Amino acid sequence: MSVEETNNPASFKLHDLRCFDAVARLGSFQAAANALHRTHPSVFAAVTRLEQRLGLTLLDRSGYRVELTEVGRMFHARAATSLRDIDNLDGYARQLATGEEPVLRVVLGDLCDRPAVLGTLSAFFAGRPRTRLHLDYEAVSGPFERLADGSADLIFHRVDDSRYDLEQIRFREIRLLPVAAPGFLAAEAGAEITPRQLQLVTQCVIRDTARDTTPEDHFLIDGAPHCSVPDHTMKRELILHRMAWGHLPEFMVENELRTGKLINMQGRYIPGRTETLAAMRRIDRPHGPVAEELWGCLKDSLPKL
C-alpha cells in the first residue's frame, strides 16, 4: 500500500454515502432519488460505487424491494452517526462564518436572585440552539475577575460603583440582614447587640473566589472567630443549625424570619446593607451578535431600577 493510500482519510465520497443512507432509510432507489433531487441511475451508480470501494455488499437487490444486508445494517448505523456529525460540523462552520458565538459564558454572583435570572436566560437560549450557554458561579470579587481576564462574557452580580469599565443593567436592590438562630446569642433578647458581644461567637462569611485580587472583608467583626462557606445557601444552613451568625439576603430568609427560625439582629451597631444587582459586561471589548441579542433581551425583560 502506498503512502498516499494510507494517508487517505476515506476510500469513498461523501455523496455516495449520502445516497446509500437515503436508500437505506427510504427503502428504494427512486424514493432516495426524489429526496436527494437526483436521478434514479445516479443514485444507483453512487451506491454501487460505494460497495465496490468498500468491498462490501450493503444492499440485497434480489427482491421486489431493496433491503439492507446484515453488513449493510451494521455499516448504516455507523454511517448515519457520521453523517449527523458532518451535518453538525457544517452548521457549526456556517455559524462561525456568520459571527454567531458557539458559546456564551455567563457567571452568576453570590447575591444573584437565581430564579429570576435563570427564567430570563432559559427563555432566551431556548430560541438559539446553535449557541450553548456555559453557566458558572463566583463569589465576592470573583465575577469581576472573570470579566477582567476574559473568561466570562456577562455577569450577574452586585454593583461596584468604582468600576467605570463595565456596562450595567441594574434591575434589583437586595437587602442583606444580619441574622442568627434563636438561642445562638446569649444577649439576643432585650439589650441591643454590640460588636463586643459578637467577638465571642462565630461569624460565617462567603469565600472570595477571586485568585489574584485582595480579598474583601464585608461585615467582618474584628477579633471574632469566623468560618467561610462557598455560597449563601450553605451559609443559611450553618446559621439555622446554630453554628454561626451572618448576613443573608432578605429574599432568602423571609420565611425563616416570619416563622421565628431566624432573628433579625439589625440595629445601631450591627447594620444591614443594601446592594444593587445588575447584569454587567465589559465596555472596552467587542460582543458577538448573540451576546448583543442577549443584552437587548435583558434590557427589555429585567425590571428597571
Side-chain angles (χ1 to χ4, degrees):
M1 182 177 292
S2 68
V3 174
E4 289 185 359
E5 287 175 325
T6 58
N7 290 337
N8 189 6
S11 59
F12 50 84
K13 296 180 179 179
L14 180 59
H15 166 71
D16 297 348
L17 191 63
R18 289 194 184 280
C19 288
F20 165 68
D21 172 63
V23 174
R25 288 185 294 103
L26 301 175
S28 76
F29 287 101
Q30 188 58 58
N34 293 339
L36 297 173
H37 305 289
R38 303 281 180 177
T39 64
H40 181 289
S42 68
V43 173
F44 188 92
V47 176
T48 302
R49 186 167 54 242
L50 176 65
E51 290 178 313
Q52 291 172 346
R53 288 180 174 176
L54 294 175
L56 299 172
T57 301
L58 302 175
L59 295 175
D60 181 358
R61 301 169 174 81
S62 62
Y64 174 76
R65 182 182 177 89
V66 293
E67 295 183 356
L68 289 168
T69 62
E70 183 62 30
V71 171
R73 277 192 290 271
M74 296 171 62
F75 182 78
H76 181 250
R78 182 66 65 87
T81 300
S82 298
L83 287 172
R84 284 195 296 272
D85 289 340
I86 290 171
D87 289 339
N88 289 337
L89 182 61
D90 180 64
Y92 181 69
R94 284 187 278 106
Q95 181 181 5
L96 293 178
T98 62
E100 290 185 15
E101 308 91 304
V103 178
L104 278 184
R105 301 158 299 174
V106 177
V107 170
L108 304 184
D110 55 273
L111 279 182
C112 183
D113 182 359
R114 295 181 184 180
V117 170
L118 291 178
T120 300
L121 292 178
S122 174
F124 178 82
F125 282 97
R128 290 155 186 85
R130 292 182 180 274
T131 299
R132 177 171 60 89
L133 169 64
H134 181 90
L135 201 60
D136 213 342
Y137 166 84
E138 299 283 350
V140 192
S141 56
F144 295 115
E145 184 180 69
R146 294 286 297 274
L147 278 182
D149 65 19
S151 62
D153 302 299
L154 175 72
I155 66 172
F156 292 89
H157 196 41
R158 70 186 87 193
V159 168
D160 181 350
D161 287 323
S162 68
R163 303 292 300 260
Y164 296 103
D165 58 335
L166 303 180
E167 187 176 5
Q168 304 175 357
I169 302 174
R170 302 187 179 203
F171 63 93
R172 181 167 184 179
E173 290 188 342
I174 296 177
R175 291 180 62 203
L176 289 167
L177 303 177
V179 296
F184 178 75
L185 300 171
E188 68 183 25
E192 189 172 27
I193 299 169
T194 66
R196 183 177 180 83
Q197 293 169 316
L198 292 178
Q199 286 180 334
L200 304 176
V201 293
T202 300
Q203 180 180 6
C204 186
V205 296
I206 300 292
R207 285 194 293 272
D208 194 339
T209 59
R211 300 175 302 277
D212 301 320
T213 57
T214 303
E216 300 181 23
D217 56 351
H218 294 293
F219 309 118
L220 281 179
I221 301 296
D222 290 337
H226 68 271
C227 63
S228 64
V229 294
D231 55 48
H232 285 290
T233 300
M234 187 173 291
K235 186 176 183 179
R236 180 177 61 182
E237 291 302 313
L238 262 67
I239 293 173
L240 285 169
H241 284 84
R242 296 185 176 85
M243 298 175 66
W245 73 275
H247 288 76
L248 285 171
E250 185 177 26
F251 70 83
M252 290 187 66
V253 294
E254 289 175 331
N255 184 61
E256 287 81 359
L257 290 172
R258 185 171 57 253
T259 59
K261 293 181 179 179
L262 291 176
I263 61 167
N264 186 353
M265 301 160 49
Q266 186 172 359
R268 179 173 37 164
Y269 301 108
I270 312 298
R273 182 169 175 171
T274 299
E275 298 278 7
T276 300
L277 192 64
M280 288 171 275
R281 66 178 186 174
R282 293 281 296 268
I283 292 177
D284 58 344
R285 291 188 177 175
H287 304 284
V290 180
E292 288 291 355
E293 288 182 32
L294 175 57
W295 193 253
C297 173
L298 294 175
K299 285 183 175 180
D300 294 338
S301 60
L302 293 176
K304 305 296 188 296
L305 282 182

